[in-house]
Amino acid sequence: MSLTKNPNVNKWVDEMIALTKPDQVVWIDGSKEQLEQLTAEVTALPDGHPDKLYRLNEEKYPGCLYHRTRPNDVARVEDRTFICSRRKEDAGPTNNWCDPKEMYAKLTPLYDGVMKGRTMYVIPYSMGPIGSPLAKVGVELTDSIYVVLNMNIMTRMGTQAFENLGETSDDFVRGLHSKANVDKENRYIVHFPEDNTIWSINSAYGGNVLLGKKCFALRIASYQGKNEGWMAEHMLILGLKKPGQETKYVCAAFPSACGKTNLAMLIPPEGYRAKGYEVFCVGDDIAWLKQGPDGRLYAINPENGFFGVAPGTNEKSNFNALMSTKKNTIFTNVAMNAADNTVWWEGLDKNPPVDAIEWKGERVNGVEFTSVIGEDGKAQKLAHPNSRFTAPAENCPCISPEFNNPAGVPISAIVFGGRRAKTAPLVYQSFDWEHGTFIGSIMASETTAAAAGAVGVVRRDPMAMLPFCGYHMGDYWAHWLEMGKKLGDKAPKIFNVNWFRTDDEGHFIWPGFGDNMRVLDWIIDRCDGNADAVETAIGYEPKPEDINVEGLEDITTDTVRELLDVDIDLWKQEVAGIREFYGKFGDRLPAELAKQLENLEARLG
């Protein structure tokens, strides 16, 4: 029974039912009763069933569930992810492209009858608060209860989503997902930006199947934003309240493994807390940004939950993220403690459970298991390195009171960052929006031991959007420049940070984590016109004495001076690397960015 009178929705759903041929169709209204019924159904499946979810210890983890995906299906798959624009050049050199006609022809036979013997769930959902002018609607069709339960955490799911759409609009994203046989060889995550459509098949893992997440909120939405004059960005949103002042909001983009979630949920150092500083999390992963009636840039978090990496999350590294997982959370591919039916992962604490069930489902002595060396010569992990938690944002102790504000929050600063051992200083500010766009476009990280291949290789990840931009990256930068012109003097100030400078022995100099507050403090002061800066070849830097090091044992003003040092020779090498990277974009590279590179080279002299 359809939940909407909208003919565009109903026609499309009927077409997809005719294609996939499910035994029955269930429309998801988002009610507690329906969700409880689906949970009961999926937890009653026999052990070993690939779709089974397990209830965790109700006292320690109320309302929490546990699931394991198949070993061939544990992460996003970039090589099977496609942008199918009509013209190849519109997808650009950073995306896998296929002609839409060709891709529809290839995938249609895979979907034909794929849901025979199964139930199709029709999930209406809103990305962003219900009633927000910045929100957008999606409908995902899936044969997975796991997807339904996760989408309930990650989005505003159910009948209410159709309120935003209304009865005549065609502006909704059509998502079709089937886990099919979870066949790796026929796995596809495909975006048709011009059709507002996403097709995903043969995966049952998070990022490939929760189609509201990277698929809609970044790849499709970035394309919509370009056409409609707003921005979809891979950015956290945090609010910073100084004593006696109103809260200021910051967006920040970092490549993976650069401390994004930690910054989004930062706890200020003791000295700052004693003075009354507070930090609020609006979002940890994605920001949608639009110019408001007053001309400033406003952001909403289109998501309603956190899809976080579990390993390494603990009370010390990210207390707020850990607290977010304590109720109504779904854990995927972590380990279980069979003794008390709780969860465990590497980095949670130093006590792996003795009676453990590792992420593939094998019962082991966890203490001994973590000392077993695998074929790769590394100790076996109880939890998969990419194991996840899907946690409601409302659980987060520092969630912003503005989280559901339909108007969003006004952005004062945009921060870029990466992981650089020597090149980038602790913090610097762009000269203006155009120069800030340049800084975002050259964002890079050096590979760590965690990434496959050589260590220390520079990987460019512009605005942390390389895997997520739904169109040509050169056009994306042009859109940034266009937004800057539109915002004029109301545009946020743009900064770059690097928490990862190392000494000659390879140890990190800056303490990071909560102490990153000290850098944010200067950033906000700059936005308010309350701090000086020194002009360098790469941008404006703080005076070393303007970074507060009070209460830090090993960091003095001299250390900060060292952290702010700009090595001209390294930056000349950087220019060569940028020029090579820009070469990929041909005549779609905005002339302004080519000019910014020339200017940088001239300033390095």
Side-chain angles (χ1 to χ4, degrees):
M1 191 42 204
S2 174
L3 295 176
T4 177
K5 294 190 172 100
N6 188 306
N8 302 305
V9 174
N10 290 325
K11 177 173 179 281
W12 171 72
V13 173
D14 287 344
E15 285 167 4
M16 295 304 105
I17 291 170
L19 172 62
T20 58
K21 306 175 180 59
D23 282 18
Q24 55 174 338
V25 177
V26 173
W27 286 69
I28 299 297
D29 59 18
S31 67
K32 197 166 175 243
E33 298 72 32
Q34 189 186 48
L35 289 163
E36 280 171 1
Q37 184 193 330
L38 291 172
T39 304
E41 187 182 320
V42 86
T43 51
L45 292 169
D47 275 6
H49 192 291
D51 297 339
K52 184 174 175 71
L53 271 77
Y54 298 82
R55 292 184 198 270
L56 292 173
N57 185 316
E58 199 51 42
E59 277 177 33
K60 294 181 178 172
Y61 286 93
C64 290
L65 299 167
Y66 171 77
H67 177 66
R68 56 180 76 96
T69 59
R70 296 186 204 183
N72 78 0
D73 187 32
V74 291
R76 279 188 295 107
V77 279
E78 301 299 351
D79 60 324
R80 312 297 297 200
T81 302
F82 289 83
I83 300 294
C84 298
S85 48
R86 289 187 190 100
R87 301 187 322 168
K88 184 177 183 176
E89 58 268 31
D90 292 340
T94 59
N95 285 312
N96 299 316
W97 176 83
C98 181
D99 182 284
K101 287 195 185 98
E102 197 182 312
M103 188 57 89
Y104 281 127
K106 184 189 235 174
L107 296 189
T108 299
L110 295 180
Y111 283 106
D112 190 359
V114 75
M115 293 190 193
K116 276 181 187 158
R118 300 182 183 183
T119 301
M120 173 190 278
Y121 302 96
V122 181
I123 308 173
Y125 63 95
S126 172
M127 298 306 287
I130 301 293
S132 167
L134 286 86
K136 292 233 170 218
V137 176
V139 179
E140 175 166 359
L141 313 179
T142 182
D143 51 12
S144 164
I145 292 177
Y146 174 74
V147 168
V148 177
L149 299 178
N150 274 280
M151 288 292 281
N152 178 54
I153 296 172
M154 291 306 298
T155 70
R156 280 89 171 169
M157 180 185 89
T159 314
Q160 56 176 4
F162 283 133
E163 288 172 28
N164 274 18
L165 187 65
E167 292 186 3
T168 55
S169 173
D170 196 24
D171 181 19
F172 70 98
V173 171
R174 298 146 166 81
L176 175 62
H177 164 250
S178 173
K179 54 187 188 273
N181 310 311
V182 194
D183 168 12
K184 198 168 146 211
E185 297 312 309
N186 283 304
R187 184 170 297 155
Y188 291 94
I189 293 83
V190 180
H191 309 74
F192 303 93
E194 291 135 339
D195 302 341
N196 248 3
T197 294
I198 306 157
W199 279 14
S200 164
I201 194 160
N202 276 308
S203 176
Y205 163 79
N208 301 326
V209 300
L210 308 179
L211 300 184
K213 191 152 184 63
K214 308 291 196 191
C215 296
F216 177 174
L218 288 177
R219 295 193 190 100
I220 296 289
S222 60
Y223 176 80
Q224 292 175 330
K226 171 180 76 94
N227 293 337
E228 297 166 12
W230 54 281
M231 306 160 86
E233 300 297 333
H234 190 204
M235 290 179 175
L236 64 88
I237 312 166
L238 66 81
L240 199 156
K241 190 171 189 331
K242 291 190 175 204
Q245 294 183 20
E246 61 176 57
T247 306
K248 291 284 173 12
Y249 295 92
V250 174
C251 282
F254 299 97
S256 61
C258 290
K260 191 166 162 214
T261 306
N262 290 346
L263 189 66
M265 302 180 191
L266 180 141
I267 296 174
E270 208 173 312
Y272 276 92
R273 290 203 302 278
K275 289 177 186 153
Y277 279 76
E278 291 178 274
V279 172
F280 302 102
C281 174
V282 182
D284 75 321
D285 193 38
I286 297 173
W288 285 2
L289 302 132
K290 201 173 197 173
Q291 191 171 26
D294 61 1
R296 291 190 293 171
L297 196 60
Y298 283 76
I300 59 164
N301 173 3
E303 300 188 295
N304 201 30
F306 308 125
F307 184 59
V309 176
T313 302
N314 57 49
E315 283 196 6
K316 188 164 178 274
S317 71
N318 197 333
F319 176 83
N320 287 323
L322 190 65
M323 290 304 108
S324 303
T325 68
K326 294 299 184 186
K327 62 180 184 190
N328 303 328
T329 291
I330 299 171
F331 295 92
T332 302
N333 296 340
V334 298
M336 279 177 81
N337 184 342
D340 64 354
N341 206 27
T342 58
V343 288
W344 189 87
W345 52 79
E346 280 71 17
L348 176 64
D349 55 41
K350 293 195 167 114
N351 314 308
V354 176
D355 187 3
I357 301 169
E358 50 86 60
W359 72 271
K360 294 190 291 295
E362 190 186 336
R363 203 153 181 163
V364 295
N365 176 340
V367 182
E368 290 176 5
F369 185 78
T370 51
S371 64
V372 172
I373 303 299
E375 289 169 17
D376 59 359
K378 292 177 182 164
Q380 295 282 286
K381 305 276 192 227
L382 285 176
H384 188 275
N386 191 40
S387 53
R388 296 280 176 159
F389 56 80
T390 317
E394 65 184 16
N395 287 359
C396 182
C398 65
I399 199 70
S400 168
E402 300 298 310
F403 178 73
N404 281 310
N405 185 340
V409 294
I411 300 302
S412 297
I414 290 172
V415 179
F416 295 121
R419 185 183 272 268
R420 304 301 297 268
K422 301 287 182 195
T423 314
L426 178 64
V427 58
Y428 66 102
Q429 181 189 344
S430 71
F431 297 125
D432 52 33
W433 180 276
E434 193 177 284
H435 180 232
T437 303
F438 169 71
I439 289 172
S441 78
I442 65 170
M443 246 172 82
S445 265
E446 285 153 21
T447 51
T448 61
V455 175
V457 176
V458 176
R459 285 194 177 156
R460 302 257 165 225
D461 187 358
M463 284 81 167
M465 281 289 280
L466 198 69
F468 307 120
C469 186
Y471 61 105
H472 196 294
M473 192 61 91
D475 296 352
Y476 165 81
W477 292 329
H479 178 52
W480 262 78
L481 295 167
E482 196 53 46
M483 286 296 294
K485 291 188 188 108
K486 204 159 79 168
L487 293 161
D489 61 0
K490 301 268 176 68
K493 305 248 184 301
I494 298 179
F495 299 81
N496 192 85
V497 297
N498 175 28
W499 318 128
F500 302 99
R501 279 282 275 254
T502 58
D503 60 22
D504 293 338
E505 280 73 57
H507 303 126
F508 295 129
I509 305 170
W510 182 249
F513 297 111
D515 288 306
N516 294 337
M517 173 80 205
R518 300 166 188 276
V519 174
L520 290 178
D521 197 17
W522 179 78
I523 286 174
I524 295 299
D525 278 346
R526 281 295 290 168
C527 294
D528 288 346
N530 295 331
D532 277 345
V534 178
E535 189 171 329
T536 73
I538 63 169
Y540 299 118
E541 285 196 341
K543 293 178 171 170
E545 60 273 19
D546 286 349
I547 299 290
N548 175 1
V549 293
E550 196 184 320
L552 286 176
E553 279 178 22
D554 303 328
I555 307 281
T556 63
T557 299
D558 282 342
T559 320
V560 175
R561 188 169 283 111
E562 185 189 334
L563 284 163
L564 293 170
D565 178 56
V566 176
D567 184 321
I568 298 293
D569 291 336
L570 279 179
W571 274 93
K572 285 178 177 172
Q573 289 172 32
E574 186 75 354
V575 165
I578 297 164
R579 184 161 283 123
E580 186 187 345
F581 178 65
Y582 273 1
K584 286 185 181 179
F585 302 96
D587 57 5
R588 295 250 186 148
L589 177 76
E592 294 94 327
L593 295 189
K595 184 81 179 112
Q596 285 290 339
L597 182 57
E598 278 175 33
N599 293 349
L600 171 62
E601 193 167 30
R603 289 193 301 269
L604 292 166

